[in-house]
Structures are given as C-alpha cells and as structure tokens.
C-alpha cells in the first residue's frame, strides 16, 4: 500500500529556494514512477515534474525547466523537488503522486496522492 506525505513548503521571497520532500510509507516505492503537481486557488492542478522508477528519466513542465529538479532516493522511500529562483506564480499547493506506469503529465494517470504542502512566494 502506498501512503505519501509531503513536507518542506513555506513562505519565501522571489528568487529564493525550497526543497520539498515526499515520503512513502509503503513497501513498493521503487516500483512506482513519481510526479509532482501543483494547484493554485481557482486554477486546475498542473504537472510540474516526473521521474521514472529507477530515477534515470526526468521530465519537467516548461514553466519550471532550468529552475526545478526532481530526484529520488529509493533507499529512503523519498522523492524530492528542489525549487530554485522561485517566482510569485509558483505559489500553490504542491502534491506528490505515484504512478504504476510512466511519469505522465496527466493527473489521472497517477494512482496515489499525498495531501499537499503549501508554497507561497512573495514579490
């Protein structure tokens, strides 16, 4: 069973950095591709980054390419999202998710979700 818990969100200024973590209490973490999504008030949930189950392949939304980095440590059952050069438009609740298949950009392709962590970036 997969149970995801995000942490690391907070309030920062534009240009600052944050590192989000997502811990999986389940026993099959290494079998799942992982993704990060975000949702701002009044907007739809959008794809941010994804990583294959082995950590070899990574994928990013155009809005965060060059600024965000996704990684995973299967020994710790944890996936990370390093966010640099944050912008006010990055403000959202960030969710991690697990997929039994590929790290798709579409939320319906993911089978398990965390409850989210708030990231707020002031100008």
């Amino acid at each position: 069973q997969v149970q995801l818990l995000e942490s690391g969100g907070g309030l920062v200024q534009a240009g600052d950095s944050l590192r989000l973590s997502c811990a999986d209490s389940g026993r099959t973490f290494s079998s799942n591709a992982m993704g990060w999504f975000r949702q701002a008030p009044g907007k739809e949930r959008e794809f941010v980054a994804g990583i294959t189950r082995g950590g070899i392949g990574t994928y990013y939304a155009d809005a965060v390419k060059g600024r965000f980095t996704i990684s995973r440590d299967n020994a710790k059952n944890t996936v990370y999202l390093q966010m640099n050069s944050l912008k006010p438009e990055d403000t959202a609740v960030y969710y991690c998710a697990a997929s039994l298949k590929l790290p798709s950009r579409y939320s319906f392709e993911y089978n398990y979700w965390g409850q989210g962590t708030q990231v707020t970036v002031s100008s």
Side-chain angles (χ1 to χ4, degrees):
Q1 185 175 3
V2 177
Q3 183 175 339
L4 306 176
L5 179 62
E6 302 96 335
S7 63
L11 174 62
V12 298
Q13 293 184 330
D16 286 351
S17 298
L18 281 175
R19 184 180 178 88
L20 305 183
S21 299
C22 176
D24 177 19
S25 63
R27 296 173 292 178
T28 58
F29 178 81
S30 62
S31 298
N32 299 318
M34 301 295 297
W36 285 96
F37 290 76
R38 66 187 182 186
Q39 186 168 22
K43 300 181 65 177
E44 296 182 352
R45 185 171 299 185
E46 65 176 348
F47 172 78
V48 176
I51 188 168
T52 57
R53 61 187 181 186
I56 301 301
T58 57
Y59 309 89
Y60 299 93
D62 289 341
V64 306
K65 286 181 179 178
R67 299 190 297 120
F68 291 10
T69 302
I70 187 172
S71 62
R72 67 191 297 164
D73 186 340
N74 288 349
K76 297 182 178 180
N77 285 7
T78 302
V79 63
Y80 305 95
L81 184 67
Q82 178 67 45
M83 305 184 295
N84 298 328
S85 301
L86 283 163
K87 304 175 181 179
E89 50 262 46
D90 294 319
T91 296
V93 176
Y94 283 71
Y95 301 88
C96 69
S99 172
L100 299 179
K101 300 182 179 180
L102 300 177
S104 171
R105 65 173 294 176
Y106 301 107
S107 61
F108 69 83
E109 296 284 355
Y110 290 80
N111 307 95
Y112 308 97
W113 293 84
Q115 294 190 8
T117 184
Q118 177 71 48
V119 173
T120 302
V121 184
S122 63
S123 60

